Amino acid sequence: MFLQRLKTVTTLIFDVDGVLTTGDVIASSTGELLRTFNIKDGYALQLAVKRGYHVCIISGGHGQAMASRFAGLGIPDVHLGVGDKVEVFERYLEKYGIQAEDVLYMGDDIPDLKVMQLVGIPTCPADASNDIKAISTYISPFNGGKTAVRDVIEKVMKLQGKWFDENPLASDSGK
């Protein structure tokens, strides 16, 4: 049933901390909170954008390093420092005329709960909070920041026949 539902996905929305990262932050001497991102997740994200999927980031976290990472991957819709994820989600759907049932969202903790209840396919990493696991259609076997994002993107794109890139560039994942 889960795999069948992936055939209609047009939109991929992700939280950052605990999903695209392990959730660990390093406080720099300038006060910026630094995170590490998995290069395989990056490859899948940029390929999804190139293949025409709507890709969006909605995060309570913020910082120039995060914004730069997503810009380098070509993700056009990045919402950082968000307090009300539902409001941003609803505006995003309206802007592009997207139906909520065509959205796969990956979150990991309570700030994602309300928006995950609105989407067609709520998903989470293996190490998500129990409340999030309870409402998820799919729980990746991978932890946040450890290719959980790659896992769901790859599943969607393979089912839709859009995964393989005939001429992949080594530089695509590290932009």
Side-chain angles (χ1 to χ4, degrees):
M1 179 68 169
F2 164 70
L3 293 177
Q4 200 61 6
R5 293 179 69 197
L6 295 183
K7 291 182 179 180
T8 63
V9 169
T10 62
T11 306
L12 304 159
I13 302 178
F14 300 98
D15 176 36
V16 177
D17 294 322
V19 172
L20 280 158
T21 74
T22 61
D24 297 329
V25 292
I26 299 169
S28 74
S29 61
T30 63
E32 182 159 16
L33 300 178
L34 305 175
R35 298 147 170 94
T36 59
F37 293 90
N38 188 289
I39 209 78
K40 291 180 178 91
D41 287 341
Y43 178 79
L45 285 164
Q46 62 81 33
L47 186 61
V49 170
K50 286 179 182 176
R51 294 285 196 260
Y53 291 91
H54 294 280
V55 178
C56 179
I57 303 296
I58 303 176
S59 177
H62 56 85
Q64 185 54 48
M66 287 173 62
S68 296
R69 173 66 176 149
F70 300 128
L73 293 172
I75 299 171
D77 294 286
V78 178
H79 306 274
L80 303 177
V82 172
D84 185 348
K85 291 187 177 191
V86 170
E87 179 185 331
V88 171
F89 171 73
E90 289 174 344
R91 281 197 326 257
Y92 181 74
L93 295 187
E94 186 177 325
K95 177 180 177 180
Y96 291 106
I98 298 166
Q99 299 301 310
E101 60 265 18
D102 296 331
V103 176
L104 180 147
Y105 184 102
M106 183 173 269
D108 73 307
D109 213 342
I110 298 304
D112 301 303
L113 185 74
K114 288 182 182 175
V115 72
M116 288 178 72
Q117 292 172 325
L118 300 175
V119 303
I121 306 173
T123 66
C124 68
D127 59 345
S129 72
N130 289 332
D131 294 313
I132 295 301
K133 287 179 180 179
I135 65 161
S136 292
T137 301
Y138 175 73
I139 300 170
S140 174
F142 304 99
N143 287 344
K146 301 291 184 183
T147 71
V149 168
R150 164 77 175 246
D151 176 43
V152 294
I153 292 174
E154 188 173 333
K155 279 180 175 33
V156 168
M157 293 178 70
K158 280 185 175 179
L159 277 169
Q160 295 183 11
K162 297 179 180 180
W163 176 249
F164 291 101
D165 191 341
E166 295 300 318
N167 296 301
L169 301 175
S171 62
D172 281 345
S173 61
K175 289 185 178 177

